[in-house]
Amino acid sequence: MGLLDLFRRTPPSAHVAKERLRIIIQQERDRRGGGSPDYMPLLRRELLEVIRKYVNVDPAAVQINVEREDGQEILEFSVALPEKAR
Amino acid sequence: MTEIIVVTSGKGGVGKTTTSASLSCGLARRGKKVAVIDFDIGLRNLDLIMGCERRVVYDFVNVIQGECTLKQALIKDKRLETLFVLAASQTRDKDALTSEGVRRVFDELVADGFDYIVCDSPAGIEKGAHLAMYFADRAVVVVNPEVSSVRDSDRILGLLSSKTKRAENGGDKVREHLLLTRYSPKRVATGEMMSVGDVKEILGLDVVGVVPESADVLAASNAGTPVILNDGSDVSQAYQDAVSRLLGETVPLRFVDEPKKGFFARVFGG
């Protein structure tokens, strides 16, 4: 690292890698571990259809997760709206 | 008691064979009787890394198909008294390997008083990889601190907890360990590479070893000498530490931090 590099900071890519992995691995574990109920893919598809009646969202913008905490199950659902939704 | 260890990863080229060779040598050096078996049918390579490629007469599939005895096929290492290599077959198709055949070979090794059977798994999640892990008591999951390798190893963890004999019997699980290879403390320090802690957290495994990136690995494979035998090198010491941990000893992690640079080196580059 030279003098110039001290002033030229880019966000560390390792952090990005970790976040991406955290999400995809959680999803894949849920999918295979019987972690998520088997209606999940259908629920995801139908929700997507409903949302698309109103907003044209990308399928990848819809995230559904079942999380377990202290014996409670939480269905987490998030949709990232496109910049010009209307 | 014989312990069966599978060295696995999902992804290819992360260092399974290098790791299998070095862990086997390390265990043998500690006085254990070890058989290391190449499960990569069709793509034999362990023999090259172990440096015994010219001494392969019979292989794993020959034994399974009853064309020779296990004793004839086991290649005794020239450096270590208690280490034996069982090569993979190069010519036959993968279906030559059967679960029943593998079990028979393992039973015979157990009866012969082997302390460890180390199974060098092929890449992928096909039959060879499945059979390599099926009878395992422990698994060493070899991972590069890189996204595709980490994701593939998580697939392997899923298989270890569902498609192994221990999983089917519902008893104790296969004990899983993380072994990171090609680790660069320098790049971790600059945020370009995920750290041991990151990978450990994502996969939820205990760390059995961290092997630094080093030119010594290629030099060792060129020479056919498992890199653990190159005693002066960092890689060798990292593998020796991993062997100690497999044997239940507590050893601090080495080679995970970058040596501190002085002020001038930092400002003017070094």
Side-chain angles (χ1 to χ4, degrees):
Chain A
M1 190 162 69
L3 188 57
L4 279 178
D5 294 324
L6 289 174
F7 303 103
R8 204 170 40 205
R9 286 248 182 272
T10 45
S13 61
H15 182 73
V16 180
K18 188 183 174 187
E19 275 313 296
R20 290 173 59 214
L21 278 170
R22 212 180 48 76
I23 293 164
I24 191 67
I25 283 179
Q26 187 58 54
Q27 279 180 3
E28 285 173 351
R29 281 184 182 176
D30 286 348
R31 215 172 292 151
R32 67 170 185 247
S36 70
D38 40 3
Y39 56 73
M40 286 288 278
L42 187 62
L43 175 65
R44 186 173 188 279
R45 222 163 27 238
E46 290 189 2
L47 279 170
L48 189 61
E49 277 168 29
V50 172
I51 294 164
R52 277 186 157 176
K53 283 184 185 169
Y54 304 93
V55 191
N56 189 21
V57 294
D58 186 76
V62 178
Q63 299 282 353
I64 305 185
N65 281 314
V66 179
E67 290 201 6
R68 280 176 193 74
E69 260 174 43
D70 310 325
Q72 277 193 28
E73 283 185 56
I74 302 164
L75 179 67
E76 193 183 78
F77 178 66
S78 77
V79 185
L81 293 176
E83 300 231 332
K84 282 179 216 150
R86 273 160 263 220
Chain B
M1 252 309 269
T2 310
E3 202 162 43
I4 303 172
I5 303 179
V6 60
V7 177
T8 181
S9 71
K11 189 171 183 295
V14 297
K16 283 183 296 295
T17 303
T18 298
T19 298
S20 301
S22 279
L23 294 183
S24 307
C25 282
L27 288 166
R29 267 181 155 188
R30 303 282 293 263
K32 306 293 180 188
K33 191 172 175 188
V34 183
V36 57
I37 306 180
D38 191 346
F39 273 76
D40 205 346
I41 305 303
L43 291 168
R44 166 202 294 175
N45 270 323
L46 179 67
D47 55 338
L48 269 181
I49 302 300
M50 295 294 298
C52 64
E53 70 277 7
R54 293 175 60 186
R55 297 167 59 213
V56 180
V57 181
Y58 295 110
D59 59 53
F60 197 12
V61 172
N62 291 139
V63 181
I64 285 178
Q65 300 196 330
E67 293 156 354
C68 66
T69 63
L70 177 59
K71 279 205 171 58
Q72 286 175 304
L74 282 175
I75 304 164
K76 191 170 184 300
D77 189 84
K78 291 216 158 150
R79 299 152 294 217
L80 294 158
E81 273 295 293
T82 57
L83 177 60
F84 297 82
V85 180
L86 186 53
S89 153
Q90 263 187 317
T91 49
R92 322 236 180 170
D93 70 313
K94 296 184 189 108
D95 294 331
L97 219 55
T98 61
S99 143
E100 174 53 27
V102 174
R103 193 186 58 75
R104 279 204 320 269
V105 171
F106 285 8
D107 283 350
E108 206 176 326
L109 291 169
V110 171
D112 274 352
F114 276 85
D115 297 304
Y116 288 95
I117 301 172
V118 177
C119 306
D120 182 21
S121 173
I125 50 175
E126 301 299 315
K127 193 173 180 188
H130 175 232
L131 283 175
M133 72 168 67
Y134 186 71
F135 297 98
D137 300 305
R138 296 166 90 169
V140 172
V141 183
V142 182
V143 181
N144 287 171
E146 171 272 326
V147 286
S148 53
S149 173
V150 174
R151 181 199 211 170
D152 287 0
S153 15
D154 195 64
R155 287 291 313 272
I156 290 293
L157 292 177
L159 297 178
L160 284 167
S161 60
S162 63
K163 300 273 195 265
T164 52
K165 192 168 171 231
R166 279 178 175 264
E168 287 172 7
N169 291 349
D172 288 341
K173 284 186 59 181
V174 178
R175 282 176 66 193
E176 301 156 343
H177 308 275
L178 171 65
L179 191 137
L180 273 173
T181 53
R182 310 200 67 168
Y183 197 74
S184 166
K186 189 177 171 188
R187 301 181 72 190
V188 170
T190 55
E192 294 168 76
M193 182 182 271
M194 285 183 284
S195 68
V196 198
D198 291 339
V199 180
K200 186 180 163 184
E201 187 190 322
I202 293 164
L203 294 176
L205 290 184
D206 75 300
V207 179
V208 78
V210 178
V211 178
E213 167 89 73
S214 164
D216 294 332
V217 175
L218 181 59
S221 88
N222 286 343
T225 307
V227 67
I228 196 172
L229 300 178
N230 178 4
D231 281 300
S233 71
D234 289 357
V235 173
S236 163
Q237 290 170 39
Y239 273 122
Q240 289 178 41
D241 287 355
V243 169
S244 300
R245 292 186 196 103
L246 281 177
L247 292 170
E249 297 160 23
T250 309
V251 202
L253 279 179
R254 293 192 275 176
F255 317 113
V256 291
D257 294 312
E258 194 195 0
K260 292 270 182 290
K261 272 189 186 176
F263 173 77
F264 284 102
R266 266 189 288 143
V267 172
F268 298 108

